[in-house]
Amino acid sequence: KVVGKIVNYYAKAKVALAKIDYTSLMLPTEVIIKGKTTAPFAMEIKEAKDEQGNLVRIAQEGNFITFTLSHKVRKNDIIQLEI
């Protein structure tokens, strides 16, 4: 189930900015990220921050969140729940 997409990736910090589009996301959670040129990979989003830099436990539909990750991602990559 698709929950959102990558809006930007900050390579030096290894942080992704994502928009949650379709459903709420309870953290921590396992997700799969994939895109046209990004090979699918699974990861756990352990913690995320909102636009003000506050830690969030639930990312609501329409929220922007940032989180760290070990793989490079690209704008418009899809985030989906791991089933």
Side-chain angles (χ1 to χ4, degrees):
K1 180 177 182 180
V2 174
V3 294
K5 66 181 177 183
I6 302 295
V7 176
N8 205 346
Y9 175 67
Y10 305 95
K12 282 189 177 182
K14 296 186 177 179
V15 170
L17 172 64
K19 182 173 184 205
I20 306 304
D21 289 320
Y22 303 107
T23 187
S24 297
L25 200 58
M26 297 279 294
L27 302 175
T29 190
E30 292 283 332
V31 297
I32 296 171
I33 299 178
K34 63 183 179 179
K36 288 182 181 178
T37 58
T38 302
F41 68 93
M43 67 164 287
E44 180 181 27
I45 301 177
K46 294 179 182 164
E47 64 179 35
K49 295 183 179 180
D50 63 15
E51 294 170 276
Q52 288 76 40
N54 302 315
L55 285 175
V56 293
R57 289 207 166 283
I58 301 172
Q60 301 286 348
E61 185 176 331
N63 288 161
F64 287 89
I65 60 168
T66 58
F67 56 92
T68 58
L69 65 171
S70 57
H71 291 72
K72 180 179 179 179
V73 293
R74 291 161 184 87
K75 186 176 179 178
N76 294 321
D77 283 356
I78 299 297
I79 304 167
Q80 61 187 47
L81 290 176
E82 187 173 66
I83 299 171

